[in-house]
Amino acid sequence: MKPAIYRYMKALLLLLVTFNCFAQNQTFKWPNGARVAISLTFDDARGSQASKGAPLLDEFEVKATFYVVPSAVKGQLEGWKRVVAKGHEIGNHSLHHSCSGNFVWSRKNALENYTIAQMRAELLEANKQIEALLGVKAESYAYPCGQTFVGRGKNTQSFVPVVANLFASGRTWLDEAPVDPGYCDMAQLTGIEMDGKDFEQILPIIEEARKNGQWLVLAGHEMADSGPQTTRLSMLRKLCAYAKDPANGIWIAPVGEVARYVKAERKRMGLAE
């Protein structure tokens, strides 16, 4: 190889390596100087969400993501139309809330008895029904019970690729760490439980996520003063007030809004989608 060409190729290689290292070492930045993103999410379209929880969020002008099962929406349709009108995001939570048959109540719609094709068809049908009921297209999905498989034993398959194909994001459940925006799989966003917790229990999780510049996706069910699988309104009120204080460096927004920002920022930084 001629010396001039060798020097050119060496310089080009150095430039590529430098650019790649720069892209990998950039710090992920949240908008408007925020140091952490928070998304509040609620599953199942439970009655207390439309009647008690959403109005509380509206007091603070906080928008959440509600993952709904169409049949549950029908039971309180006017309430859910008001939730949509206030700007909250509506996500897909499946057609029948299918989980493992190890939950006896899910035995009729056990994931062990599903195929990939059947799951895809039901997710599309749920999307169709949500749009017919509420006039919105669900772009986010939450796995019922946090379970991402169909079949059993040697025939078990993940339907995460189906979710990745149909939705901009998918959220799991009962996870132990916030979302790393520069690395995460958008079809498997980690969801951390906020049911049954006081604000003093949630605050350390927020502080840790803020320290690492992460995205904290909190997940709950009922929205009331007390009870099983319930995000306490007292906790929620304190959390909203804390998140809306500019001094705390928090961007609080629905999953879909944050997901769009993360994808755009990762593309700008040259990170994998």
Side-chain angles (χ1 to χ4, degrees):
M1 183 180 291
K2 294 181 180 180
I5 296 178
Y6 174 76
R7 289 195 297 272
Y8 171 78
M9 295 298 292
K10 184 178 181 180
L12 180 61
L13 179 60
L14 180 61
L15 180 64
L16 290 173
V17 170
T18 301
F19 177 79
N20 186 53
C21 289
F22 173 74
Q24 291 180 356
N25 293 325
Q26 289 184 82
T27 301
F28 192 96
K29 296 185 183 300
W30 294 112
N32 302 316
R35 290 170 284 154
V36 61
I38 296 178
S39 292
L40 303 179
T41 69
F42 301 92
D43 294 358
D44 306 339
R46 300 194 183 194
S48 62
Q49 295 170 4
S51 63
K52 297 180 181 179
L56 186 154
L57 296 176
D58 295 337
E59 290 179 30
F60 292 90
E61 298 184 341
V62 167
K63 309 304 179 189
T65 300
F66 292 92
Y67 291 106
V68 305
V69 176
S71 58
V73 170
K74 294 175 184 177
Q76 201 175 2
L77 184 56
E78 293 307 312
W80 283 107
K81 286 182 177 179
R82 288 193 293 272
V83 171
V84 171
K86 289 292 186 177
H88 298 283
E89 179 183 21
I90 300 298
N92 186 321
H93 199 42
S94 82
L95 193 63
H96 300 299
H97 199 283
S98 302
C99 294
S100 168
N102 282 302
F103 294 107
V104 177
W105 49 262
S106 188
R107 196 66 57 84
K108 183 180 178 181
N109 297 295
L111 288 173
E112 289 85 351
N113 299 326
Y114 270 72
T115 64
I116 291 292
Q118 181 183 356
M119 178 58 69
R120 186 177 189 279
E122 288 197 4
L123 293 182
L124 287 171
E125 177 60 25
N127 265 1
K128 180 180 177 181
Q129 291 189 25
I130 290 169
E131 189 165 9
L133 289 166
L134 299 175
V136 295
K137 182 177 180 180
E139 297 181 355
S140 302
Y141 180 74
Y143 300 88
C145 304
Q147 295 173 325
T148 62
F149 72 92
V150 295
R152 63 168 66 233
K154 295 180 180 179
N155 295 317
T156 302
Q157 291 180 279
S158 168
F159 69 94
V160 171
V162 176
V163 170
N165 181 258
L166 298 180
F167 301 93
S169 67
R171 194 219 72 203
T172 52
W173 164 242
L174 291 181
D175 293 296
E176 298 180 6
V179 175
D180 183 335
Y183 179 83
C184 67
D185 178 354
M186 296 301 291
Q188 298 184 84
L189 301 175
T190 52
I192 294 181
E193 184 181 25
M194 59 179 159
D195 287 341
K197 292 181 171 65
D198 296 322
F199 178 68
E200 290 70 24
Q201 293 173 279
I202 297 291
L203 183 57
I205 303 172
I206 297 174
E207 291 173 337
E208 185 68 17
R210 180 169 48 211
K211 183 175 70 175
N212 297 313
Q214 294 171 311
W215 175 14
L216 178 59
V217 182
L218 293 169
H221 292 83
E222 297 285 357
M223 301 173 76
D225 294 322
S226 62
Q229 273 202 327
T230 298
T231 293
R232 298 168 184 164
L233 297 179
S234 58
M235 184 282 291
L236 201 56
R237 185 174 294 278
K238 291 180 181 179
L239 192 159
C240 288
Y242 183 83
K244 296 295 283 188
D245 183 344
N248 294 320
I250 295 171
W251 177 33
I252 188 165
V255 169
E257 185 177 348
V258 179
R260 286 189 292 274
Y261 176 86
V262 168
K263 288 183 178 182
E265 186 68 2
R266 276 163 63 155
K267 183 177 181 180
R268 184 191 67 79
M269 296 173 66
L271 300 175
E273 294 185 8

Short mmCIF file of all heavy atoms in Angstrom, two decimals, residues 30 36-39 169 177-181 184 186 189-190 192 209 212-217 251 253-260 262:
data_model
loop_
_atom_site.label_atom_id
_atom_site.label_comp_id
_atom_site.label_asym_id
_atom_site.label_seq_id
_atom_site.Cartn_x
_atom_site.Cartn_y
_atom_site.Cartn_z
N TRP A 30 -32.33 15.28 28.98
CA TRP A 30 -33.77 15.47 28.98
C TRP A 30 -34.09 16.92 28.61
O TRP A 30 -33.24 17.80 28.78
CB TRP A 30 -34.35 15.13 30.36
CG TRP A 30 -34.22 13.69 30.72
CD1 TRP A 30 -33.43 13.16 31.70
CD2 TRP A 30 -34.89 12.59 30.10
NE1 TRP A 30 -33.57 11.80 31.74
CE2 TRP A 30 -34.46 11.41 30.76
CE3 TRP A 30 -35.81 12.48 29.05
CZ2 TRP A 30 -34.91 10.15 30.41
CZ3 TRP A 30 -36.27 11.21 28.71
CH2 TRP A 30 -35.82 10.07 29.38
N VAL A 36 -34.42 14.04 35.16
CA VAL A 36 -35.08 12.73 35.21
C VAL A 36 -36.45 12.88 34.56
O VAL A 36 -37.05 13.96 34.59
CB VAL A 36 -35.23 12.24 36.67
CG1 VAL A 36 -36.09 13.20 37.48
CG2 VAL A 36 -35.81 10.83 36.73
N ALA A 37 -36.92 11.80 33.95
CA ALA A 37 -38.28 11.78 33.39
C ALA A 37 -39.12 10.80 34.21
O ALA A 37 -38.63 9.75 34.65
CB ALA A 37 -38.26 11.36 31.93
N ILE A 38 -40.37 11.16 34.44
CA ILE A 38 -41.30 10.28 35.14
C ILE A 38 -42.57 10.13 34.31
O ILE A 38 -43.11 11.12 33.81
CB ILE A 38 -41.67 10.84 36.53
CG1 ILE A 38 -40.44 10.89 37.44
CG2 ILE A 38 -42.77 9.99 37.18
CD1 ILE A 38 -40.72 11.47 38.83
N SER A 39 -43.04 8.90 34.19
CA SER A 39 -44.34 8.63 33.57
C SER A 39 -45.20 7.87 34.58
O SER A 39 -44.75 6.87 35.15
CB SER A 39 -44.19 7.80 32.30
OG SER A 39 -43.55 8.52 31.28
N SER A 169 -44.08 1.46 22.09
CA SER A 169 -43.47 1.03 23.34
C SER A 169 -44.30 -0.06 24.00
O SER A 169 -45.51 -0.18 23.75
CB SER A 169 -43.30 2.21 24.31
OG SER A 169 -44.56 2.69 24.74
N ALA A 177 -35.71 -1.72 38.41
CA ALA A 177 -34.85 -0.59 38.03
C ALA A 177 -35.57 0.30 37.04
O ALA A 177 -36.36 -0.18 36.21
CB ALA A 177 -33.55 -1.11 37.42
N PRO A 178 -35.30 1.62 37.10
CA PRO A 178 -35.88 2.53 36.12
C PRO A 178 -35.32 2.25 34.72
O PRO A 178 -34.40 1.45 34.54
CB PRO A 178 -35.44 3.92 36.62
CG PRO A 178 -35.09 3.72 38.06
CD PRO A 178 -34.54 2.33 38.14
N VAL A 179 -35.86 2.95 33.75
CA VAL A 179 -35.45 2.78 32.35
C VAL A 179 -34.19 3.60 32.07
O VAL A 179 -34.11 4.78 32.43
CB VAL A 179 -36.58 3.25 31.41
CG1 VAL A 179 -36.12 3.20 29.96
CG2 VAL A 179 -37.84 2.41 31.62
N ASP A 180 -33.20 2.98 31.45
CA ASP A 180 -32.03 3.70 30.96
C ASP A 180 -32.36 4.17 29.54
O ASP A 180 -32.42 3.36 28.62
CB ASP A 180 -30.81 2.78 30.94
CG ASP A 180 -29.54 3.49 30.50
OD1 ASP A 180 -29.65 4.51 29.77
OD2 ASP A 180 -28.45 3.05 30.86
N PRO A 181 -32.59 5.47 29.33
CA PRO A 181 -33.08 5.94 28.03
C PRO A 181 -32.12 5.72 26.88
O PRO A 181 -32.54 5.59 25.73
CB PRO A 181 -33.32 7.44 28.27
CG PRO A 181 -32.39 7.79 29.38
CD PRO A 181 -32.38 6.59 30.27
N CYS A 184 -32.30 1.21 26.70
CA CYS A 184 -33.48 0.35 26.87
C CYS A 184 -34.04 -0.20 25.56
O CYS A 184 -33.87 0.36 24.49
CB CYS A 184 -34.57 1.13 27.58
SG CYS A 184 -35.24 2.50 26.61
N MET A 186 -37.32 -0.46 23.76
CA MET A 186 -38.57 0.28 23.87
C MET A 186 -39.79 -0.64 23.97
O MET A 186 -40.84 -0.21 24.42
CB MET A 186 -38.73 1.22 22.67
CG MET A 186 -37.67 2.31 22.60
SD MET A 186 -37.64 3.39 24.05
CE MET A 186 -39.20 4.25 23.84
N LEU A 189 -40.10 -1.66 28.36
CA LEU A 189 -39.81 -0.63 29.35
C LEU A 189 -40.13 -1.18 30.74
O LEU A 189 -41.17 -1.80 30.95
CB LEU A 189 -40.65 0.62 29.09
CG LEU A 189 -40.45 1.30 27.73
CD1 LEU A 189 -41.43 2.45 27.58
CD2 LEU A 189 -39.01 1.77 27.55
N THR A 190 -39.27 -0.93 31.69
CA THR A 190 -39.48 -1.44 33.04
C THR A 190 -40.53 -0.61 33.78
O THR A 190 -40.49 0.62 33.79
CB THR A 190 -38.17 -1.44 33.84
OG1 THR A 190 -37.58 -0.14 33.77
CG2 THR A 190 -37.19 -2.45 33.26
N ILE A 192 -42.24 0.11 37.49
CA ILE A 192 -42.02 -0.06 38.92
C ILE A 192 -43.32 0.23 39.68
O ILE A 192 -43.96 1.26 39.47
CB ILE A 192 -40.89 0.87 39.40
CG1 ILE A 192 -39.58 0.43 38.76
CG2 ILE A 192 -40.78 0.87 40.92
CD1 ILE A 192 -38.38 1.25 39.16
N ALA A 209 -33.14 7.62 40.36
CA ALA A 209 -33.31 7.79 38.92
C ALA A 209 -32.77 9.14 38.46
O ALA A 209 -32.16 9.25 37.38
CB ALA A 209 -34.79 7.65 38.55
N ASN A 212 -29.02 9.22 38.08
CA ASN A 212 -28.53 8.51 36.89
C ASN A 212 -29.14 9.00 35.59
O ASN A 212 -28.88 8.42 34.53
CB ASN A 212 -28.80 7.01 37.05
CG ASN A 212 -28.05 6.42 38.22
OD1 ASN A 212 -26.86 6.65 38.39
ND2 ASN A 212 -28.75 5.65 39.05
N GLY A 213 -29.96 10.06 35.66
CA GLY A 213 -30.56 10.60 34.44
C GLY A 213 -31.52 9.64 33.76
O GLY A 213 -31.65 9.63 32.54
N GLN A 214 -32.26 8.85 34.55
CA GLN A 214 -33.09 7.79 34.00
C GLN A 214 -34.55 8.22 33.80
O GLN A 214 -34.94 9.35 34.07
CB GLN A 214 -33.01 6.56 34.91
CG GLN A 214 -31.62 5.94 34.95
CD GLN A 214 -31.49 4.87 36.01
OE1 GLN A 214 -31.85 5.06 37.17
NE2 GLN A 214 -30.96 3.72 35.63
N TRP A 215 -35.31 7.27 33.30
CA TRP A 215 -36.74 7.44 33.05
C TRP A 215 -37.48 6.50 33.99
O TRP A 215 -37.37 5.28 33.88
CB TRP A 215 -37.04 7.14 31.58
CG TRP A 215 -38.48 7.16 31.17
CD1 TRP A 215 -39.56 7.65 31.85
CD2 TRP A 215 -38.99 6.66 29.93
NE1 TRP A 215 -40.71 7.49 31.11
CE2 TRP A 215 -40.40 6.89 29.93
CE3 TRP A 215 -38.41 6.05 28.82
CZ2 TRP A 215 -41.21 6.51 28.86
CZ3 TRP A 215 -39.22 5.66 27.76
CH2 TRP A 215 -40.61 5.91 27.79
N LEU A 216 -38.22 7.06 34.93
CA LEU A 216 -38.93 6.26 35.92
C LEU A 216 -40.38 6.08 35.48
O LEU A 216 -41.14 7.05 35.44
CB LEU A 216 -38.87 6.94 37.29
CG LEU A 216 -39.61 6.27 38.44
CD1 LEU A 216 -39.09 4.87 38.67
CD2 LEU A 216 -39.49 7.11 39.71
N VAL A 217 -40.74 4.85 35.13
CA VAL A 217 -42.11 4.53 34.73
C VAL A 217 -42.79 3.85 35.91
O VAL A 217 -42.51 2.69 36.22
CB VAL A 217 -42.14 3.62 33.49
CG1 VAL A 217 -43.59 3.35 33.07
CG2 VAL A 217 -41.36 4.26 32.33
N TRP A 251 -39.16 16.03 34.50
CA TRP A 251 -40.08 16.11 33.37
C TRP A 251 -41.09 14.99 33.55
O TRP A 251 -40.74 13.82 33.49
CB TRP A 251 -39.34 15.95 32.04
CG TRP A 251 -40.24 15.96 30.84
CD1 TRP A 251 -41.39 16.65 30.69
CD2 TRP A 251 -40.06 15.22 29.62
NE1 TRP A 251 -41.96 16.41 29.46
CE2 TRP A 251 -41.16 15.54 28.78
CE3 TRP A 251 -39.10 14.34 29.16
CZ2 TRP A 251 -41.31 14.99 27.50
CZ3 TRP A 251 -39.23 13.80 27.90
CH2 TRP A 251 -40.32 14.12 27.08
N ALA A 253 -44.46 13.23 32.14
CA ALA A 253 -45.22 13.17 30.88
C ALA A 253 -45.64 11.74 30.60
O ALA A 253 -45.06 10.79 31.14
CB ALA A 253 -44.37 13.72 29.73
N PRO A 254 -46.67 11.55 29.75
CA PRO A 254 -47.11 10.20 29.41
C PRO A 254 -46.02 9.39 28.71
O PRO A 254 -45.07 9.95 28.13
CB PRO A 254 -48.30 10.45 28.47
CG PRO A 254 -48.74 11.84 28.75
CD PRO A 254 -47.50 12.59 29.12
N VAL A 255 -46.17 8.10 28.72
CA VAL A 255 -45.18 7.20 28.12
C VAL A 255 -44.95 7.53 26.65
O VAL A 255 -43.80 7.59 26.19
CB VAL A 255 -45.64 5.73 28.27
CG1 VAL A 255 -44.77 4.81 27.41
CG2 VAL A 255 -45.58 5.30 29.73
N GLY A 256 -46.03 7.74 25.91
CA GLY A 256 -45.89 8.00 24.48
C GLY A 256 -45.07 9.23 24.19
O GLY A 256 -44.23 9.23 23.27
N GLU A 257 -45.28 10.28 24.95
CA GLU A 257 -44.54 11.53 24.74
C GLU A 257 -43.06 11.35 25.05
O GLU A 257 -42.19 11.80 24.29
CB GLU A 257 -45.14 12.64 25.61
CG GLU A 257 -44.51 14.00 25.39
CD GLU A 257 -45.17 15.11 26.19
OE1 GLU A 257 -46.26 14.86 26.77
OE2 GLU A 257 -44.60 16.22 26.26
N VAL A 258 -42.76 10.69 26.15
CA VAL A 258 -41.37 10.46 26.52
C VAL A 258 -40.71 9.52 25.52
O VAL A 258 -39.56 9.72 25.12
CB VAL A 258 -41.25 9.91 27.95
CG1 VAL A 258 -39.79 9.66 28.31
CG2 VAL A 258 -41.88 10.87 28.95
N ALA A 259 -41.43 8.49 25.10
CA ALA A 259 -40.87 7.52 24.14
C ALA A 259 -40.49 8.20 22.84
O ALA A 259 -39.43 7.90 22.26
CB ALA A 259 -41.88 6.41 23.88
N ARG A 260 -41.31 9.11 22.35
CA ARG A 260 -40.98 9.82 21.12
C ARG A 260 -39.72 10.64 21.29
O ARG A 260 -38.86 10.69 20.40
CB ARG A 260 -42.15 10.70 20.69
CG ARG A 260 -43.33 9.93 20.11
CD ARG A 260 -44.37 10.84 19.49
NE ARG A 260 -45.06 11.65 20.48
CZ ARG A 260 -46.14 11.24 21.15
NH1 ARG A 260 -46.63 10.03 20.94
NH2 ARG A 260 -46.73 12.04 22.03
N VAL A 262 -37.25 10.09 23.48
CA VAL A 262 -36.12 9.17 23.63
C VAL A 262 -35.65 8.66 22.27
O VAL A 262 -34.45 8.63 21.98
CB VAL A 262 -36.48 8.00 24.56
CG1 VAL A 262 -35.42 6.90 24.50
CG2 VAL A 262 -36.65 8.49 26.00
#
